[in-house]
Amino acid sequence: MLEEVERWLSTRSWSLTDRPLHRILAAKQRTGQSVSVVLPALNEEETVGEIVAVIRHDLMQQVPLVDEIVVVDSGSTDRTSEVAAAAGARVVHRDEILPRLPAVPGKGEVLWRSLLVTRGDVVCFIDADLREFSSDFVSGIVGPLLTDPGVDLVKAMYDRPLGAAAGQGGRVTELMARPLLNMHWPQLAGFVQPLGGEYAARRSLLEQLPFPVGYGVELGMLVDALHLVGLDALAQVDVGVRKHRHQDGQALGRMAAAIYRTAQLRLARGHLVRPALTQFERGPDGFEPHTYSVDTEERPPMTDVAEYARRRVA
């Protein structure tokens, strides 16, 4: 791992306990910053209501951390909008935002349009398919932005179980995103969940970033933010465990393709190749990085090997 990343992990990688809620609230009051929470949603009637209700109860009614909750519905055919509104969110339909520009399908499209219908100085994105949701996901990633003026973007990090298997979720992260970042943008190798949908950022940063319209939005945002504000303006907070609905293999393939394309477009700017991969395992003191060499040597076609050619003749 790069020395810069090791230093970053010790100075920009935190846990929930590093910023108690009372400290975050004091910083919000002192700085006068406002916080918007955005949930992009497509057919999430089973989970969106609980997420909205928890945020509203814990972080609006109990304490004044969140100023607005906005659910952007990107064309649901179920009761997502009704459930979200009943739970206390302001629901906006994607096609009603900037109607002169026809919307295209994709998560990034919804996140981009959400900037037009929110007002917070800090914008917090939360996926709408989370189960057993805790408001720590919001306070954890918003906290550093309110307490540290040098931080511009914060990603949540967490364990992602796949069924009963701990730590086996995030298959596209491990098979596509992490290798891409480690080899081409090694400064970002320290992010435990680079594709996670729970992150917060200053509006002043988000409004300067392009948004890939699809699943490449999270990777694209990290890479572009790195170039725009530098590694020390990026951070991550351990919020525990994330449980959600898992995609099937074909859907994961489409996600991977979109992420690869996003990376491909950014590689045109120039890149650094580092044949190493850093992965993470939870240890007694939190997430621990383990770096492995990546096999970069290739064997030639066997027909080019003299011994093989001689065997064929014999």
Side-chain angles (χ1 to χ4, degrees), residues 278-298:
T278 299
Q279 295 180 316
F280 294 85
E281 297 176 8
R282 186 183 285 280
D285 298 319
F287 285 100
E288 299 174 352
H290 299 271
T291 300
Y292 306 89
S293 296
V294 174
D295 294 329
T296 56
E297 183 177 357
E298 295 185 15

Side-chain angles (χ1 to χ4, degrees), residues 67-301:
D67 297 282
E68 63 175 349
I69 306 174
V70 178
V71 170
V72 183
D73 190 328
S74 58
S76 296
T77 56
D78 65 3
R79 298 181 60 252
T80 290
S81 292
E82 293 88 342
V83 170
R90 178 162 60 94
V91 178
V92 184
H93 293 272
R94 177 200 62 194
D95 296 348
E96 297 173 356
I97 307 170
L98 200 63
R100 69 170 179 80
L101 189 64
V104 297
K107 179 182 180 182
E109 175 86 353
V110 173
L111 300 183
W112 177 68
R113 288 178 185 257
S114 76
L115 297 180
L116 289 163
V117 293
T118 54
R119 60 182 183 274
D121 303 303
V122 171
V123 182
C124 174
F125 298 118
I126 300 290
D127 280 350
D129 66 343
L130 303 188
R131 302 181 184 276
E132 300 178 29
F133 178 77
S134 167
S135 60
D136 287 343
F137 274 68
V138 175
S139 58
I141 56 179
V142 166
L145 294 162
L146 297 177
T147 60
D148 190 335
V151 175
D152 288 328
L153 184 149
V154 182
K155 297 278 292 190
M157 58 176 167
Y158 34 66
D159 292 312
R160 293 185 67 180
L162 181 61
Q168 295 302 306
R171 291 161 289 174
V172 176
T173 293
E174 299 302 330
L175 297 175
M176 176 61 73
R178 201 179 306 286
L180 281 172
L181 292 175
N182 274 259
M183 293 181 202
H184 298 295
W185 296 282
Q187 288 176 295
L188 298 174
F191 278 95
V192 175
Q193 297 292 350
L195 298 185
E198 292 70 46
Y199 49 99
R202 300 190 190 281
R203 178 176 295 272
S204 57
L205 171 62
L206 293 172
E207 63 191 12
Q208 297 182 68
L209 298 177
F211 278 62
V213 297
Y215 286 117
V217 63
E218 275 83 25
L219 183 136
M221 191 176 294
L222 271 185
V223 171
D224 293 340
L226 174 68
H227 286 285
L228 190 62
V229 296
L231 182 61
D232 282 342
L234 313 180
Q236 60 185 350
V237 174
D238 186 352
V239 297
V241 179
R242 181 186 196 266
K243 297 182 180 180
H244 65 113
R245 172 174 44 82
H246 291 280
Q247 305 272 13
D248 62 29
Q250 289 188 332
L252 295 179
R254 294 189 293 272
M255 291 172 63
I259 289 161
Y260 178 77
R261 178 56 176 164
T262 299
Q264 184 184 48
L265 291 172
R266 282 152 178 78
L267 287 174
R269 304 171 181 166
H271 63 283
L272 172 66
V273 175
R274 182 180 71 112
L277 175 69
T278 299
Q279 295 180 316
F280 294 85
E281 297 176 8
R282 186 183 285 280
D285 298 319
F287 285 100
E288 299 174 352
H290 299 271
T291 300
Y292 306 89
S293 296
V294 174
D295 294 329
T296 56
E297 183 177 357
E298 295 185 15
R299 300 300 185 190

